[in-house]
Amino acid sequence: MAGSKDFYEMLGVAKTASADEIKRAYRKLALQYHPDKNKSKEADGKFKEVTAAYEVLSDQQKKAQYDQFGHAAFSQEGFGGQGPFGGAQQGQAGPFRYSYYTGGGNPNIEFDLGGFSDPFEIFEQFFGSGGAGPFGARQRRSTYSLTIDFMEAVHGVEKKVDIGGETQTIKIPAGVDEGSRIRFGEYDVVIGVSSSDKFKRQGYDIVSEEEISFAQAVLGHVVNVETVNGRVSLRIPAGTQPDTVIRLRGKGVPHVRGSGRGDHYVRIKITIPKHLTHRQKELLEQFELEGKKKKTWF
């Protein structure tokens, strides 16, 4: 394993991070340090470190062992020794150790692959690239990154890019998200998505906030809410409390595959005025006095 460095620190996540948070953190770092993209001297070592960390933390059983015992849980070396049909050969593919026997047509191949059926599987999962090893040679696919804005990811877009000295047009489908990968001819394009000041995305759902006045919350009101597909009218029920969430069904992000869309959730924020006129103060004081005549407003 990667020395004594903490795996969580390598990925920049907390120990309480979810599986999705760990996956997103790894994708970001792996793209940053992947040897096909980053030619700096330290990139290869960094890439191996973050991949080693992800290989453990993405597996619930290994993660539990690591949380309990640390690196000591994985201190044993891979398979080795001399086999009855020839020499036992060992190799290294990133953080993955493997050993296999040669000679005599021995079908009993042994692997220490850390939970993956193929030590190059994780590279295909994120980059669509393979490598040469005891499992045969694979053609490595070049990987490119492309950043689009939030609304382009929601609605889809066509982008002109320069690949191999040629200008080509890539059609990006509606609904892609950060880390989505598109196969384009002989290349893989990994999508980055800029954040939005107005919307937050959770899968195919959209979350936004809408501010209303104290009076509108008490009396009820109809507001025009901005969604990714334009403005819609939203009825605020009388007596709405702060941080109430109202669902707009089918107003979220379209599914990349198949039909349907996510939903849009509007969180209600109630604005308390800082400056009141003399008349407004009088009315609120009267409101307070009326309230004292009742046991409760709620």
Side-chain angles (χ1 to χ4, degrees), residues 26 34 47-48 51 55 91-98 100 111-140 181 183:
Y26 171 69
H34 194 276
F47 181 77
K48 291 178 180 178
T51 304
E55 190 268 334
Q92 183 86 15
F96 305 101
R97 298 185 304 275
Y98 60 81
Y100 61 101
F111 305 102
D112 175 21
L113 305 179
F116 290 94
S117 60
D118 184 323
F120 307 103
E121 178 181 331
I122 192 169
F123 299 105
E124 286 206 335
Q125 178 183 356
F126 290 104
F127 306 104
S129 55
F135 314 95
R138 296 184 180 180
Q139 182 65 37
R140 171 169 292 184
R181 187 178 69 187
R183 292 194 171 230

Side-chain angles (χ1 to χ4, degrees), residues 234-255:
L234 175 63
R235 181 180 177 276
I236 307 296
T240 292
Q241 302 300 305
D243 291 325
T244 294
V245 176
I246 301 177
R247 178 185 184 186
L248 295 171
R249 187 184 297 273
K251 298 297 183 182
V253 180
H255 296 167

